[in-house]
Amino acid sequence: MPSALSTLTSAHDAASSSIKDSDRLAPEDAYFKSVNARKRREKARDRSASRMRKGHYKKLLWFKQPFPDNYTDEETFLDHLQRNPRLQPYEFWSLMGDATVIVQHIASVAIFCCSFAAIAKDRVSPVSVVSWASLCTVLGWALWDYWIGKEEAEAIKVAAAIEAEEISSTSSNASLKEPQGLGLTLPNGSTDQLGHSHSASITSVASDTSNTSTGGHVSAIGSTALGSDFHPPYVDPASSLSPRNQQRLATAKSALLIYAALLGLSPILRSLTESTAIDSIWAISSFLLCMNVAFFDYGTGAGAHLPASISTNSALMASTVLASRLPSTTHVFSLTLFSIEVFGLFPIFRRQLRAISWRGHLALTIVLVINACGGVFMTLTGGGRGSWIAGVILGGILIFLAMGICSWWLIGLQKYKNEIHGPWDPARPIIRPRWD
Amino acid sequence: MPYNIAMISDFFYPQPGGVESHIYQLSSKLIDRGHKVIIITHAYAGRTGVRYLTNGLKVYHVPFFVIYRETTFPTVFSFFPIFRNIVIREQIEIVHGHGSLSSLCHEAILHARTMGLRTVFTDHSLFGFADAASILTNKLLKFTLSDVDHCICVSHTCKENTVLRASLDPLMVSVIPNAVVAENFKPLSHTHGSHPRHAPGPPPRLGPHDKITIVVISRLFYNKGTDLLIAAVPRILALHSNVHFIIAGSGPKAIDLEQMLERNVLQDRVSLLGSIRHEEVRDVMVRGHIYLNPSLTEAFGTVIVEAASCGLYVVCTRVGGIPEVLPGHMTEFAKPEEDDIVEATSRAIKTLMMGKVRTELFHNQVKQMYSWTDVAQRTERVYDGISGALSHDEFYQGAGAGGAWSATRGRAGVQSFALIERLKRYYGCGIWAGKLFCLCVIVDYLLFVLLEIFAPRSRIDIARNWPKKIPIQMQSREKEGDGKEGGSIGRKRSARRREKREEDESET
């Protein structure tokens, strides 16, 4: 009987399909697939020895083989099957680190809600909230501007280095270095003493959009320079100001415009939802804030400069709806401006900070968590300093535990990942990008 | 032992295509081997009811609501009454469904099992596991194939795919390739009456300035690799001044192709023929020297066999079942990458120019590799296996021998049609799906019982078989069959049949 049983299992062996074949479909296989597969193949070989047949079986159709049509060869059947080819096992602390991004965003949403509650209950004056926030925003913007300037300088340095390299090697082979050769116009332009040449302005914008990694600079500049008819927004090549200052001016202008528009709109917004019941307002705003959290762009993508628009829009709409319940025009104006700062500008700063310094990111996370926890506790209990401290301690522990449990859970879930690839998948064609 | 077989698929003539011609060719060859074959498909525009094709092949066009790309609306049960009627009328023993996207075929297999018939399913296509459409199709396939007796796939890759998709025992899946009608794909020299097979001299060499024509015949879709073609054509033409292209076929990517030609001003070296009919394919193919197939996924790739049969050297991508189809001396393989396709084509051109391949011998070689008669013979073995004419050990090579448990369910004559056994099989399909499928099967069974009560078998006429030349050993059995039928009804029907025969179609 054991021989009959073994032939039976060997028939099933290669078919990782059959559900009964628990070994191949076990979650651990995702990790130890190579070891397991080899072990199994060896086993299969031992078993098939008892059923050795004449000749070799080949996976070909064009000649007649001395095997019946439903013959299944244990050696070759499903030999091109790949399971989880691109699996990267998660690590606990890196997951925890990535989770801080989500915690930051949720904390800033919580802070906004607490501020609204405090304003609505007349615990703080709306003007003080918005002035503190605006002060922080201006400081943050100055910091951001400084970082961008530093990045740009670095980019120019890198470009100059490339230029030097290019000049030393231009004689050797021009055609090989075509993509870099196109980037060559850049350093020429930026070292140009005219200061407002077209190429120089490209540099500034390119470094604006580029990421912080030095490798990213070169590629970003190169790609911007390749689109030869690229005109950066807000930059007038004929102006006497440097492109950086032009940009600052443009930012200030748009800030002023938003300020003025809000000031004009506030009376209208104040009476926007007068006819709506208060519970609908709570429902709508909590739904919209949930949407904001759900659709927010937590990625580190280099290209995404602004957070996803659906998330920002829903947050602004939520703040508008909430603001319309406030008593005076000043209240409305303050809350709306505050929401623009929290949901529109703050994410840009956070993204930049995370890219530049991990310590700063961590510190900001801790500050945000402390404020959010304390604020939430104060709002809920209506207490003073005591409840603030209790909230910070309790909320901090709670958030840390939640982060840990979720990370651990995700790591645990990863073993259920079962991606199957094989020759039946449509191939991905690899086509060279065209410049024409 | 002749069987009464019903081929069921949504895809049949007048719609052209690979599955369609497969069904037609297989059926006519099975008829030649003495079986009775009918085809059940849905009604096409202007084609409803019963039709006869060449050789007495009967086609039932059942009126059905078509939703997408000639696939009927999946209603699970609504097909049962008419299906039962046809099956009883034609005394069907084996139901053979084709095409995993055909809902008619899936329904028929379910009903056939309820009625206690043997079922076979042929899979013609490959599916991934990643996207939502594939997941849904795979689940449905698992449903139908949970209780099928045997499966046929057109290539080994297709078998692996089907085994994984439907969780089948690999022993109950046979690989039977497609075939080509080699007579329809003869190279030019054959029509001149010469026999190059026996030509003693060296093959005619192509001079360095002789024009080399590359033929591409494919529908211009993404998954046929048209993007690769568009990228590769200008580069191949730039590398080789004596190369010309003939591209036939139409599709959504045609406009990209035309734009590429205009941008590179290649109109005089690339001729676009638009869509061509299947019978014109040979005439286009023989105008070229190389056939280029840039497809991204392909279960079998009949077209490269046709090209080789026409005496063309084949350049193709190494995807799906394509590497299994032709021997190495007829093909040049490329990765599905632009650079590699250009390289492989250049290699092929070089090989042709040096006279290293005897393309004039390809036709006879292909003729020996693939024939529909062979396919019919191998399919017949499957029928023998599932209906018990072959012993279980012989068919499954000892799987489950010695009384051990076996998952090869099509066990000759042993398999149970008992409802509880079938429910056990369906139950294993998934946590929710298993229960849902069981419900479906129970409802199907109740429908069957209802139909037996309200439309009893005794009230359904038995159709007369097409009169054909009977092989001697079959004659005695046929006589028995004739004796059962009522004489007068038969005569009346045969008169009707004569009218039908006038509209007889012979499509290829």
Side-chain angles (χ1 to χ4, degrees):
Chain A
M1 197 55 59
S3 75
L5 262 177
S6 75
T7 35
L8 170 67
T9 5
S10 71
H12 287 267
D13 207 11
S16 62
S17 70
S18 9
I19 321 163
K20 305 110 200 171
D21 197 318
S22 57
D23 288 12
R24 278 294 277 279
L25 282 186
E28 300 84 65
D29 276 3
Y31 283 114
F32 314 111
K33 98 188 146 170
S34 55
V35 187
N36 244 1
R38 205 179 309 133
K39 230 189 279 167
R40 294 201 64 84
R41 192 140 299 161
E42 274 163 22
K43 253 193 249 168
R45 206 164 295 150
D46 294 346
R47 284 165 182 167
S48 63
S50 61
R51 274 177 56 198
M52 258 314 189
R53 282 185 153 260
K54 64 267 172 186
H56 273 293
Y57 184 80
K58 286 202 180 80
K59 256 196 201 173
L60 294 173
L61 298 169
W62 52 271
F63 68 96
K64 277 230 143 204
Q65 310 201 43
F67 298 96
D69 289 324
N70 59 346
Y71 175 75
T72 306
D73 189 54
E74 284 111 33
E75 296 289 311
T76 56
F77 189 65
L78 287 175
D79 55 350
H80 289 292
L81 178 75
Q82 284 182 307
R83 303 187 58 209
N84 298 330
R86 284 185 296 275
L87 182 85
Q88 287 178 334
Y90 295 128
E91 278 172 40
F92 183 75
W93 286 109
S94 74
L95 268 186
M96 285 286 270
D98 291 340
T100 51
V101 186
I102 302 171
V103 170
Q104 269 190 359
H105 187 70
I106 293 175
S108 56
V109 171
I111 289 172
F112 173 78
C113 294
C114 294
S115 318
F116 168 76
I119 290 170
K121 283 183 183 166
D122 270 336
R123 288 170 136 216
V124 279
S125 95
V127 182
S128 74
V129 168
V130 82
S131 3
W132 278 111
S134 301
L135 189 70
C136 290
T137 309
V138 170
L139 282 179
W141 179 70
L143 205 59
W144 185 78
D145 193 66
Y146 167 70
W147 287 333
I148 296 295
K150 224 164 74 175
E151 246 177 57
E152 186 189 325
E154 234 168 80
I156 288 172
K157 223 187 276 169
V158 170
I162 285 176
E163 181 196 24
E165 220 172 83
E166 285 285 303
I167 286 167
S168 65
S169 64
T170 25
S171 53
S172 60
N173 199 341
S175 66
L176 244 173
K177 304 211 161 148
E178 200 178 328
Q180 291 155 358
L182 282 168
L184 228 156
T185 51
L186 267 177
N188 282 346
S190 43
T191 46
D192 205 331
Q193 283 312 301
L194 286 171
H196 50 75
S197 83
H198 184 66
S199 306
S201 61
I202 288 177
T203 320
S204 82
V205 173
S207 56
D208 247 352
T209 52
S210 77
N211 204 2
T212 45
S213 64
T214 24
H217 288 305
V218 190
S219 68
I221 294 166
S223 62
T224 324
L226 281 168
S228 54
D229 50 2
F230 178 83
H231 284 285
Y234 309 127
V235 179
D236 178 16
S239 155
S240 62
L241 284 165
S242 84
R244 287 290 309 286
N245 283 336
Q246 279 183 53
Q247 266 206 321
R248 284 178 194 140
L249 197 68
T251 313
K253 266 188 212 163
S254 56
L256 202 69
L257 194 73
I258 290 173
Y259 182 83
L262 266 186
L263 214 55
L265 275 176
S266 299
I268 307 169
L269 291 181
R270 192 182 62 82
S271 56
L272 187 69
T273 58
E274 251 170 17
S275 56
T276 314
I278 190 77
D279 18 5
S280 330
I281 297 294
W282 301 142
I284 288 173
S285 54
S286 38
F287 173 75
L288 285 170
L289 284 175
C290 285
M291 220 160 91
N292 166 263
V293 171
F295 287 97
F296 187 74
D297 179 18
Y298 297 103
T300 40
H305 203 52
L306 284 170
S309 61
I310 190 165
S311 131
T312 317
N313 285 342
S314 59
L316 290 184
M317 195 170 156
S319 73
T320 313
V321 170
L322 286 179
S324 64
R325 303 314 292 200
L326 292 175
S328 82
T329 315
T330 326
H331 284 78
V332 173
F333 169 75
S334 313
L335 194 77
T336 321
L337 191 60
F338 183 55
S339 82
I340 288 174
E341 282 161 0
V342 168
F343 295 115
L345 304 174
F346 193 41
I348 302 176
F349 176 77
R350 288 197 326 243
R351 186 184 287 270
Q352 192 73 18
L353 178 69
R354 182 155 56 114
I356 280 189
S357 101
W358 169 249
R359 267 157 209 267
H361 173 74
L362 207 62
L364 182 68
T365 313
I366 291 168
V367 169
L368 281 176
V369 167
I370 287 172
N371 280 314
C373 294
V376 168
F377 249 71
M378 268 174 80
T379 316
L380 288 182
T381 55
R385 196 168 294 242
S387 71
W388 169 277
I389 291 167
V392 168
I393 293 167
L394 230 106
I397 292 169
L398 208 72
I399 286 176
F400 192 77
L401 277 183
M403 275 165 71
I405 288 170
C406 286
S407 307
W408 178 71
W409 189 31
L410 186 63
I411 291 172
L413 283 181
Q414 206 188 11
K415 70 180 175 203
Y416 295 107
K417 192 177 166 69
N418 186 18
E419 231 184 309
I420 302 176
H421 287 282
W424 48 81
D425 287 320
R428 293 218 176 84
I430 298 177
I431 295 169
R432 282 194 186 185
R434 312 225 165 262
W435 299 113
D436 55 359
Chain B
M1 177 183 173
Y3 302 106
N4 295 341
I5 303 154
M7 301 276 176
I8 301 196
S9 179
D10 267 325
F11 314 113
F12 195 65
Y13 298 135
Q15 182 190 254
V19 182
E20 291 81 352
S21 74
H22 178 105
I23 296 172
Y24 174 73
Q25 298 287 355
L26 177 63
S27 307
S28 54
K29 289 296 180 243
L30 282 171
I31 288 175
D32 288 348
R33 296 184 64 80
H35 302 287
K36 171 186 171 181
V37 183
I38 63 160
I39 293 171
I40 304 176
T41 182
H42 69 259
Y44 284 83
R47 204 164 298 208
T48 316
V50 184
R51 298 265 177 147
Y52 280 90
L53 304 187
T54 329
N55 218 353
L57 178 59
K58 200 180 202 177
V59 184
Y60 282 87
H61 288 279
V62 181
F64 246 98
F65 177 54
V66 172
I67 43 166
Y68 177 66
R69 277 182 145 189
E70 293 304 340
T71 306
T72 47
F73 187 70
T75 52
V76 188
F77 305 115
S78 65
F79 180 48
F80 200 8
I82 195 160
F83 174 75
R84 177 174 169 272
N85 204 303
I86 294 172
V87 162
I88 292 171
R89 184 179 292 273
E90 298 286 347
Q91 296 172 296
I92 296 301
E93 295 152 348
I94 292 171
V95 173
H96 190 159
H98 290 263
S100 48
L101 281 179
S102 156
S103 54
L104 201 66
C105 145
H106 291 308
E107 288 176 31
I109 288 177
L110 173 69
H111 304 322
R113 291 298 301 179
T114 307
M115 293 178 67
L117 305 176
R118 297 287 169 192
T119 49
V120 181
F121 173 77
T122 300
D123 202 352
H124 294 260
S125 44
L126 301 175
F127 277 88
F129 295 90
D131 54 311
S134 298
I135 292 169
L136 194 68
T137 323
N138 291 348
K139 207 69 187 173
L140 282 177
L141 192 77
K142 207 167 172 178
F143 176 34
T144 351
L145 297 197
S146 293
D147 201 28
V148 84
D149 287 298
H150 207 84
C151 234
I152 297 175
C153 292
V154 291
S155 65
H156 292 104
T157 307
C158 185
K159 171 173 173 174
E160 294 177 352
N161 188 229
T162 309
V163 162
L164 284 181
R165 282 163 63 202
S167 308
L168 294 171
D169 184 321
L171 277 181
M172 54 173 293
V173 184
S174 289
V175 177
I176 300 177
N178 274 330
V180 291
V181 186
E183 293 76 52
N184 294 347
F185 293 93
K186 279 183 186 157
L188 269 185
S189 51
H190 277 251
T191 51
H192 299 324
S194 65
H195 292 281
R197 195 186 170 193
H198 306 294
R205 278 176 82 133
L206 285 164
H209 300 294
D210 280 356
K211 184 172 150 182
I212 289 183
T213 309
I214 301 179
V215 180
V216 181
I217 300 175
S218 90
R219 286 176 295 123
L220 302 175
F221 279 91
Y222 168 78
N223 62 354
K224 295 286 172 191
T226 311
D227 294 315
L228 281 175
L229 182 71
I230 291 169
V233 164
R235 291 183 59 193
I236 294 169
L237 289 176
L239 280 175
H240 305 277
S241 55
N242 55 342
V243 166
H244 290 249
F245 268 92
I246 296 176
I247 300 174
S250 62
K253 291 270 179 190
I255 199 128
D256 293 344
L257 191 65
E258 279 165 32
Q259 272 180 352
M260 180 275 291
L261 293 186
E262 273 169 32
R263 203 167 48 227
N264 297 302
V265 201
L266 294 171
Q267 287 91 339
D268 53 336
R269 295 179 66 191
V270 179
S271 45
L272 295 182
L273 303 183
S275 73
I276 55 170
R277 285 182 311 196
H278 190 240
E279 53 265 34
E280 297 169 334
V281 165
R282 182 255 168 196
D283 299 330
V284 175
M285 277 183 173
V286 294
R287 286 161 63 188
H289 303 91
I290 293 174
Y291 182 82
L292 175 63
N293 183 41
S295 187
L296 300 181
T297 174
E298 198 88 64
F300 179 77
T302 318
V303 69
I304 65 170
V305 183
E306 291 170 351
S309 173
C310 287
L312 270 70
Y313 196 48
V314 177
V315 178
C316 54
T317 44
R318 195 184 278 280
V319 295
I322 286 181
E324 306 166 18
V325 170
L326 285 178
H329 70 271
M330 292 184 183
T331 46
E332 198 72 64
F333 287 113
K335 280 180 271 187
E337 295 165 13
E338 178 193 344
D339 295 346
D340 213 44
I341 283 187
V342 173
E343 210 174 289
T345 316
S346 303
R347 257 180 298 163
I349 291 169
K350 207 170 142 200
T351 323
L352 269 187
M353 300 257 268
M354 302 200 357
K356 274 189 187 160
V357 281
R358 305 283 305 264
T359 49
E360 70 278 4
L361 304 183
F362 282 4
H363 176 70
N364 284 317
Q365 290 167 351
V366 170
K367 205 156 120 185
Q368 275 161 13
M369 290 172 201
Y370 295 108
S371 82
W372 285 110
T373 322
D374 179 47
V375 171
Q377 217 166 348
R378 291 160 80 172
T379 311
E380 199 181 82
R381 182 177 171 274
V382 171
Y383 295 155
D384 284 343
I386 58 170
S387 60
L390 276 181
S391 75
H392 177 256
D393 281 356
E394 199 182 337
F395 191 47
Y396 292 113
Q397 300 137 36
W405 177 85
S406 165
T408 52
R409 303 180 300 247
R411 260 210 268 176
V414 190
Q415 192 190 13
S416 166
F417 286 103
L419 187 62
I420 190 72
E421 291 291 323
R422 296 183 60 215
L423 288 181
K424 274 184 202 163
R425 283 177 218 130
Y426 286 117
Y427 194 73
C429 283
I431 300 171
W432 297 104
K435 292 167 179 96
L436 186 72
F437 294 165
C438 280
L439 267 181
C440 286
V441 174
I442 291 168
V443 171
D444 205 54
Y445 185 75
L446 290 177
L447 259 178
F448 177 60
V449 174
L450 270 181
L451 284 171
E452 288 291 329
I453 294 168
F454 292 106
R457 275 162 197 268
S458 54
R459 260 194 259 153
I460 296 171
D461 295 336
I462 306 295
R464 267 189 69 164
N465 288 343
W466 180 262
K468 61 184 169 202
K469 279 185 216 153
I470 302 157
I472 297 126
Q473 70 267 26
M474 309 284 171
Q475 251 163 4
S476 57
R477 193 181 177 274
E478 278 300 310
K479 263 179 202 154
E480 283 174 31
D482 276 358
K484 279 180 206 158
E485 287 171 30
S488 59
I489 301 169
R491 211 168 298 136
K492 219 187 279 169
R493 209 178 283 137
S494 71
R496 214 180 301 149
R497 187 177 297 169
R498 218 167 291 129
E499 290 170 18
K500 283 267 167 59
R501 212 185 312 167
E502 282 158 22
E503 323 168 358
D504 203 325
E505 296 134 303
S506 57
E507 280 152 297
T508 44

